[in-house]
Amino acid sequence: MALQAASLVSSAFTIPKEGKSSASSKDSSLFGVSFSDHLKADFSSSGLRCKREFSHRAGAVRAQTAATTTPAVNKAAPEGKKTLRKGCVVITGASSGLGLATAKALAETGKWHVIMACRDFLKAERAAKSAGIAKENYTIMHLDLASLDSVRQFVDNFRRSGRPLDVLVCNAAVYLPTAKEPTFTAEGFELSVGTNHLGHFLLSRLLLDDLQKSDYPLRRHIIVGSITGNTNTLAGNVPPKANLGDLRGLAGGLNGLNSSAMIDGGDFDGAKAYKDSKVCNMLTMQEFHRRYHEDTGITFASLYPGCIATTGLFREHIPLFRILFPPFQKYITKGFVSEDESGKRLAQVVSDPSLTKSGVYWSWNKDSASFENQLSQEASDTDKARKVWEVSEKLVGLA
Ligand code: NDP
Ligand code: PMR
């Protein structure tokens, strides 16, 4: 799909060259990035290789180009067993966009109780109400991923609620494309990586025990990834490209003082920080799979839900971007997906008995059929996944 869109875009859509008048080229350009010649160069070289890059790793994430009905291969989890109770799913960032739509889709089935793990209780309550989610199908619990204390507090509160944990969905994210300077989490990590990756990393590590204890026939841990973190796609080649480098900034704590605020040690770039955080999300999912799937039977998965161009994710972008981005994705790239449809997709990864396979990065084709997609070389690099894991556990106080 990305390659089809590439030709479509190159013939039907030309981007005006950057104006140089503003101090921040990011602020003045149509789509918020300075890209014209740079992008063309990227597309004609390594970025748009037709031959897919193969991962060094044995087996976990395999490429398939056609839609597939995935056979159940999970030995440990008795997924065929009759479900006697509602499943309990924690969804971070369920107060808007994909998280809210997923909560709605799952709650509507009557088979799931959704824990909406949100930083703004009132906003989440209003969102649940206006989405029409029935009161008995959800509980809102406070979680601010930009504070590791809050993550630990959430885990305590959740345990005190006495509810089992059957599925954990790490969905929340921030995207700060126009920020000129980094901002930081409570512990002083750059905000995008701190929230999207480190907050979720601690949450996932702590809640792994709870997932293991669940007696539900289906136990899953899902981390939302994205196409823009994958440099084996057209979207992933729009500058600035994701690149974790040798992780020197991450190892230094991303504090912008004695270390860079960027994972690769480079100058701060909010759009890149987001894409880097998505690479961390996808690497983390695979590292969980390698470390825990066989022993626990838990299914670990990531996904690209499609381009949900209308969500709050773009709230920090310039107004013109927010106006033009949805029609651009709808009519030019054809990558657009509605919030409702994206919610159904993620709900499918949560609950569809045929999506049991662990270690998979799910995507959907134009007929909205799911398929196992291939991650970029960096996002499937086993060595990098292990290093990101090891550095992250130090940063969040687990090692
Ligand atoms: P939204 O902005 O609509 O939703 C993001 C959610 O994350 C909001 O509920 C927000 O809370 C929450 N959040 C942000 N910061 C924190 C925090 N510190 N603690 C707790 N919650 C927080 O964006 P989307 O629905 O688009 O994004 C959802 C996921 O989908 C993200 O992981 C994103 O990377 C991914 N994605 C999105 C795509 C798209 O095209 N939109 C494409 C590919 C992936 P609040 O409401 O309080 O702000
Ligand atoms: Mg992209 C098939 C082409 C495709 C797809 C599926 C996306 C998805 N984008 C595509 C192509 C392009 N985008 C092209 C050719 C351009 C240059 C005009 C372009 C630009 C662009 C910008 C400036 N796109 C963006 C931005 C953002 O700020 C968004 C972003 O990178 O957020 C991190 C974004 C996105 N494009 C997507 C998707 C899914 C996003 C947003 C969200 C995300 O990855 O989470």
Side-chain angles (χ1 to χ4, degrees), residues 252-303:
L254 298 176
N255 58 31
L257 294 170
N258 49 5
S259 109
S260 161
M262 299 295 291
I263 293 180
D264 65 358
D267 291 340
F268 175 71
D269 184 318
K272 181 175 184 299
Y274 170 89
K275 294 174 190 178
D276 289 349
S277 78
K278 290 285 117 185
V279 175
C280 290
N281 286 156
M282 295 179 281
L283 289 172
T284 301
M285 175 279 289
Q286 294 163 84
E287 192 63 19
F288 263 111
H289 167 75
R290 280 188 287 269
R291 288 176 186 243
Y292 295 106
H293 172 65
E294 209 166 304
D295 290 348
T296 65
I298 295 167
T299 295
F300 299 95
S302 187
L303 68 149

Side-chain angles (χ1 to χ4, degrees), residues 54-314:
F54 284 95
S55 72
H56 306 300
R57 180 172 47 82
V61 180
R62 281 186 286 113
Q64 285 187 216
T65 45
T68 173
T69 313
T70 312
V73 292
N74 186 337
K75 292 175 290 175
E79 299 232 351
K81 222 166 73 180
K82 191 168 164 44
T83 305
L84 298 174
R85 60 168 173 84
K86 270 188 184 181
C88 182
V89 54
V90 168
I91 305 178
T92 68
S95 54
S96 75
L98 176 62
L100 178 63
T102 307
K104 183 176 189 262
L106 290 169
E108 270 172 359
T109 65
K111 294 179 181 158
W112 291 91
H113 186 85
V114 183
I115 307 287
M116 300 171 67
C118 299
R119 61 177 166 176
D120 184 337
F121 191 92
L122 264 181
K123 180 178 176 184
E125 186 60 55
R126 285 197 195 108
K129 278 213 176 91
S130 69
I133 306 177
K135 236 181 161 39
E136 67 274 16
N137 290 337
Y138 73 92
T139 303
I140 299 170
M141 292 181 67
H142 186 262
L143 169 66
D144 181 355
L145 288 157
S147 155
L148 298 181
D149 282 348
S150 172
V151 172
R152 290 184 179 280
Q153 188 70 57
F154 171 83
V155 172
D156 282 352
N157 290 342
F158 175 74
R159 286 178 182 157
R160 262 196 283 272
S161 78
R163 290 189 184 274
L165 179 64
D166 305 317
V167 178
L168 170 62
V169 179
C170 296
N171 160 78
V174 286
Y175 174 43
L176 309 162
T178 56
K180 294 177 183 63
E181 297 294 334
T183 44
F184 299 94
T185 66
E187 287 76 21
F189 306 127
E190 186 283 317
L191 193 63
S192 335
V193 175
T195 305
N196 308 355
H197 167 58
L198 291 170
H200 277 136
F201 181 80
L202 178 62
L203 181 74
S204 304
R205 288 287 301 272
L206 296 176
L207 288 178
L208 186 67
D209 264 0
D210 304 71
L211 274 173
Q212 273 183 258
K213 284 181 193 142
S214 158
D215 63 348
Y216 202 65
L218 169 162
R219 293 166 304 141
R220 296 183 184 175
H221 176 209
I222 299 152
I223 312 182
V224 180
S226 182
I227 194 169
T228 54
N230 279 297
T231 50
N232 57 343
T233 64
L234 170 58
N237 277 281
V238 175
K241 294 202 271 185
N243 177 8
L244 307 189
D246 63 4
L247 306 181
R248 68 180 64 179
L250 186 67
L254 298 176
N255 58 31
L257 294 170
N258 49 5
S259 109
S260 161
M262 299 295 291
I263 293 180
D264 65 358
D267 291 340
F268 175 71
D269 184 318
K272 181 175 184 299
Y274 170 89
K275 294 174 190 178
D276 289 349
S277 78
K278 290 285 117 185
V279 175
C280 290
N281 286 156
M282 295 179 281
L283 289 172
T284 301
M285 175 279 289
Q286 294 163 84
E287 192 63 19
F288 263 111
H289 167 75
R290 280 188 287 269
R291 288 176 186 243
Y292 295 106
H293 172 65
E294 209 166 304
D295 290 348
T296 65
I298 295 167
T299 295
F300 299 95
S302 187
L303 68 149
Y304 167 58
C307 187
I308 331 158
T310 53
T311 72
L313 192 68
F314 311 104

